[in-house]
Amino acid sequence: MTVALDREIIYPDSDGQPMADNTEQFEWIVLLKENLECLFAQNPEVFVGGDLLWYPVEGHPEIRVAPDVMVALGRPKGKRGSYRQWQENNQPPQVVFEILSPGNTLKEMTKKLKFYDHHGVEEYYIYDPDDNELTGLQRIDGELTIIEEMGNWVSPVLGIKFELDAETLRVYYPDGRPFLSTVALATQAEQEFQRAEREKLRAELAEAENVRLKALLAEAGIDV
């Protein structure tokens, strides 16, 4: 007699691959992920993930991919070991980003495109920082289609703007502010803090001078 054993299906939280192959690729992944987090910071129903395994089909842990950055609108923020779509109201990430490195192959990127197309991604952006090339695809008539003109392209889903010049890619918030690195954000915050401290000191000095003048006028018998 054969006894069937039920085995719990394992969905690993890691594919054993590094997050990035070099510092430039890593910096771009962090830039996009952290600024997208800031963009949707006040919306509890937008999840942004970086290098997180996405399993679209329950029962098939072999069907998976780890986008460099992904955005799932309509899904709550929170910690996840992986993005298991059947636990996310069957909502695929609407937008994914891939940052190329010299180690990426045409075969690998073709497989990713087929995966994202088949599993319902609405927008797919690929940036090659070495060659400064940006490729975008959006879902038209049920399939991911190349965006012919990426100059000053605005994402229909995210509202962010892409601007490619001769040197690099620049990404902007819907209100026109540029995506900034963590160092640049920290520098900006420090400048704002110093400005606020200077304004506070000016106000304190002005108040102290006002008190001193009132005291002098009181000594002179002048009521104010």
Side-chain angles (χ1 to χ4, degrees):
M1 181 177 65
T2 302
V3 179
L5 298 177
D6 291 332
R7 294 184 178 180
E8 180 183 359
I9 297 176
I10 303 299
Y11 301 90
D13 289 344
S14 172
D15 57 6
Q17 300 298 315
M19 178 177 176
D21 292 338
N22 55 53
T23 56
E24 186 171 31
Q25 185 189 26
F26 180 80
E27 287 171 359
W28 272 103
I29 293 171
V30 172
L31 177 78
L32 290 169
K33 195 265 184 186
E34 292 303 304
N35 280 271
L36 288 167
E37 290 272 23
C38 292
L39 174 60
F40 295 108
Q42 303 306 314
N43 189 334
E45 293 300 312
V46 178
F47 173 72
V48 180
D51 192 42
L52 188 71
L53 279 171
W54 165 23
Y55 293 97
V57 183
E58 185 175 11
H60 290 276
E62 76 281 4
I63 302 175
R64 65 189 188 187
V65 72
D68 286 336
V69 180
M70 65 180 183
V71 182
L73 284 76
R75 301 310 306 149
K77 300 185 189 306
K79 296 180 180 179
R80 291 165 171 81
S82 60
Y83 190 89
R84 304 180 188 186
Q85 190 170 312
W86 58 94
Q87 296 176 352
E88 306 285 352
N89 199 29
N90 204 35
Q91 174 63 61
Q94 289 93 343
V95 184
V96 296
F97 298 82
E98 295 287 354
I99 306 300
L100 298 187
S101 72
N104 291 122
T105 64
L106 177 60
K107 179 180 179 181
E108 175 189 0
M109 299 314 296
T110 300
K111 285 177 64 177
K112 285 189 174 183
L113 172 57
K114 289 182 177 179
F115 185 101
Y116 296 143
D117 191 20
H118 180 72
H119 293 291
V121 167
E122 295 180 23
E123 297 178 18
Y124 175 27
Y125 298 102
I126 310 155
Y127 180 56
D128 183 346
D130 288 336
D131 293 332
N132 190 31
E133 291 183 352
L134 174 66
T135 302
L137 301 97
Q138 66 175 150
R139 188 166 294 278
I140 299 176
D141 296 330
E143 65 179 350
L144 286 174
T145 305
I146 287 284
I147 300 167
E148 294 297 338
E149 181 53 61
M150 285 300 296
N152 297 318
W153 171 260
V154 177
S155 161
V157 173
L158 304 178
I160 62 176
K161 179 182 177 182
F162 300 89
E163 186 178 284
L164 196 66
D165 61 26
E167 297 179 355
T168 189
L169 170 66
R170 306 184 194 282
V171 188
Y172 297 87
Y173 287 83
D175 64 6
R177 291 176 297 126
F179 276 25
L180 296 176
S181 68
T182 303
V183 172
L185 286 169
T187 300
Q188 187 180 74
E190 177 63 22
Q191 291 172 344
E192 285 297 311
F193 175 78
Q194 294 295 340
R195 184 194 62 77
E197 287 295 299
R198 288 194 297 270
E199 290 300 318
K200 179 181 177 182
L201 179 60
R202 289 193 191 99
E204 290 174 347
L205 290 173
E207 179 61 23
E209 180 65 12
N210 188 42
V211 170
R212 188 182 71 82
L213 288 175
K214 285 184 177 180
L216 290 174
L217 289 172
E219 289 177 4
I222 302 173
D223 189 19
V224 292

